[in-house]
Amino acid sequence: MHLIINWEDFLQHHWQKHPVLLKKAISDFMNPISPEELEKLVIKKALECQLIQRSHGKCQLVHQAFNGYASLGQRNWSLKVETINHWHRAAEEFLSLFRVFPDWYTEELTVVFSVPGGGIGPQTKPSDILVIQGMGRSRWRVWHQLLLLEHYNKNDFAEPIINEELISGDVLYIPKEFPHEAISSEVAMSYCLQFWTDNSLRMIRNWTESLSDENHRGIEYSPSPDLLLREDPTEILPQDLTALQDMMSQFLLQKRAHLDTWFVQKMSQTAYELPKAPEAEVYAPSQVQTLLQQRNSLHRLMGLRMLHIGNRYFVNGKSLLSDHADAWNMLARHRTIDGFMLIKFINDTDFISALTLLINQGYWYFSSIKKD
């Protein structure tokens, strides 16, 4: 599979501006997961999912356990599974096509399996979405963001901006808060790449709470030294508020280093459950060193995030030794590596010890171990 997208043009003219349909944006498209694999995975791993049934033109959630497709009939339903990239290796690898976006900004991959007449919506999302059409055909409609959901919930439909049938390899970009829906005309799979978003007030509260937890001292605020005489002692003047705002800005500048650390630490933690690594023995550093020398493959746990600011690396909220930034960068950029890729670092005992700790915590694991 290959992406045929002019990303510079996309970011300049479409990103967070208006929806766009990119026809045949992925050549030779191959579904990362089949309907049968999805069914087995949801049942085996007891994954959270949503059954959506369309009745009389409206989609409704069905509150029942998912026990397979057989009992659901052949029309008018969909199965929606979030964070499929945490549970299926090919789905995670599929996301590498979109690493033009920063890792911290791509939230998760949702898969929607639909039979004829099934679909999603109408709905809006607080974040941007890239819809990638897999097998089958689905008709997607997108309305202007100023149209309120209750308008078309009452069948008061305005003319959609986009009203197109997507086929395999098509990509549809929907900016945040643009209402949209999808209806499948045949058995189909759609993949929705969700991007991160958060509320500014919640972020400020979480950051200031982290400052309090670490006993950071604030700036003692008192009225401006340029205090002016005023006729009305009960009035708060605009310059009083400007002085308060300046104090807050000064505090933010003073704590910029802490803000950097807090943000990368926060964003290296996924908001979703991580799977468990395959069970393995607890390794000693010497064993890890030997396995890497034998060029065994080392896999990163699906869904695990590893980010950095400068030479400071974090994995799942935990700080790593900055002395080994080049080695950590190799692990951050590649989801699977072998010993040859780490050849420069294999004899660094401090790095191997730190890597061994991460492996024993289940963040990385060996597979198909080679024997001499």
Side-chain angles (χ1 to χ4, degrees):
M1 289 188 293
H2 300 283
L3 269 178
I4 310 171
I5 295 177
N6 183 332
W7 286 116
E8 288 187 3
D9 179 78
F10 171 81
L11 293 173
Q12 180 178 354
H13 296 108
H14 302 291
W15 180 250
Q16 294 193 349
K17 298 178 181 70
H18 54 81
V20 62
L21 174 59
L22 306 171
K23 298 292 290 183
K24 298 181 180 178
I26 303 179
S27 64
D28 304 317
F29 186 87
M30 296 179 62
N31 282 279
I33 186 169
S34 70
E36 294 76 21
E37 288 175 314
L38 181 64
E39 179 184 35
K40 292 177 182 178
L41 188 63
V42 171
I43 294 173
K44 181 179 179 181
K45 298 291 187 181
L47 300 184
E48 289 189 16
C49 61
Q50 293 181 349
L51 278 173
I52 305 168
Q53 191 168 39
R54 183 177 290 274
S55 177
H56 304 293
K58 292 186 177 182
C59 288
Q60 294 180 329
L61 284 179
V62 179
H63 300 285
Q64 67 181 56
F66 176 73
N67 296 313
Y69 302 144
S71 63
L72 299 175
Q74 297 182 352
R75 293 190 62 83
N76 300 329
W77 61 265
S78 297
L79 177 70
K80 180 180 178 182
V81 184
E82 296 181 341
T83 63
I84 193 65
N85 55 302
H86 286 204
W87 305 98
H88 192 267
R89 181 63 69 179
E92 185 195 44
E93 292 172 354
F94 175 67
L95 280 182
S96 64
L97 289 174
F98 301 93
R99 286 189 92 185
V100 63
F101 298 100
D103 286 354
W104 64 267
Y105 198 38
T106 53
E107 183 77 354
E108 55 93 12
L109 184 68
T110 292
V111 60
V112 181
F113 172 64
S114 300
V115 296
I120 59 173
Q123 61 181 356
T124 60
K125 291 285 188 179
S127 61
D128 301 273
I129 306 171
L130 274 180
V131 178
I132 305 99
Q133 184 64 34
M135 63 180 287
R137 297 170 180 264
S138 297
R139 178 165 293 278
W140 284 78
R141 296 185 179 93
V142 184
W143 286 268
H144 195 279
Q145 66 184 133
L146 297 180
L147 179 65
L148 299 178
L149 270 176
E150 54 262 31
H151 288 168
Y152 57 80
N153 282 338
K154 297 177 181 177
N155 294 323
D156 181 18
F157 284 84
E159 191 69 23
I161 300 172
I162 291 176
N163 184 3
E164 297 281 350
E165 191 169 60
L166 274 61
I167 62 173
S168 182
D170 290 347
V171 173
L172 171 63
Y173 167 63
I174 306 175
K176 60 184 179 180
E177 297 179 354
F178 275 75
H180 56 274
E181 70 170 359
I183 303 175
S184 295
S185 56
E186 57 190 48
V187 174
M189 296 192 79
S190 301
Y191 304 88
C192 302
L193 177 56
Q194 312 275 355
F195 292 91
W196 173 81
T197 186
D198 204 346
N199 178 272
S200 59
L201 181 60
R202 181 166 52 244
M203 292 181 69
I204 291 170
R205 181 173 62 247
N206 290 341
W207 176 56
T208 54
E209 285 177 354
S210 73
L211 287 170
S212 299
D213 292 343
E214 298 179 23
N215 296 319
H216 283 256
R217 290 180 58 85
I219 298 174
E220 296 299 328
Y221 175 71
S222 59
S224 168
D226 301 321
L227 188 64
L228 299 176
L229 294 176
R230 59 198 74 190
E231 294 182 1
D232 184 355
T234 67
E235 182 182 12
I236 296 176
L237 297 176
Q239 53 264 41
D240 297 329
L241 295 175
T242 299
L244 177 63
Q245 183 178 353
D246 290 345
M247 180 273 295
M248 291 182 173
S249 298
Q250 181 185 358
F251 177 76
L252 181 59
L253 289 173
Q254 287 182 2
K255 300 301 178 182
R256 174 56 191 267
H258 180 274
L259 180 65
D260 290 355
T261 301
W262 170 81
F263 187 71
V264 67
Q265 185 176 29
K266 166 185 166 62
M267 297 310 299
S268 70
Q269 294 175 283
T270 177
Y272 300 91
E273 178 187 2
L274 288 172
K276 292 182 179 179
E279 289 191 14
E281 61 183 292
V282 175
Y283 294 101
S286 59
Q287 291 174 294
V288 171
Q289 185 180 46
T290 299
L291 290 169
L292 290 175
Q293 289 170 339
Q294 294 171 346
R295 300 192 59 174
N296 286 279
S297 294
L298 187 62
H299 300 280
R300 193 162 83 200
L301 189 66
M302 286 185 288
L304 183 72
R305 283 186 175 181
M306 187 174 186
L307 303 172
H308 71 100
I309 287 184
N311 288 336
R312 292 179 292 158
Y313 281 78
F314 288 78
V315 58
N316 201 30
K318 298 177 181 178
S319 177
L320 301 174
L321 295 173
S322 59
D323 293 344
H324 312 299
D326 290 343
W328 297 136
N329 189 258
M330 191 74 67
L331 287 161
R333 293 174 67 89
H334 301 278
R335 292 186 171 91
T336 299
I337 61 173
D338 63 25
F340 181 77
M341 298 171 70
L342 291 174
I343 192 68
K344 294 192 300 183
F345 315 105
I346 283 180
N347 294 319
D348 186 322
T349 56
D350 289 339
F351 167 70
I352 291 296
S353 295
L355 178 59
T356 301
L357 180 60
L358 294 174
I359 293 172
N360 289 337
Q361 290 174 331
Y363 292 151
W364 275 265
Y365 60 92
F366 289 104
S367 66
S368 303
I369 293 178
K370 302 173 184 177
K371 304 292 183 182
D372 287 341

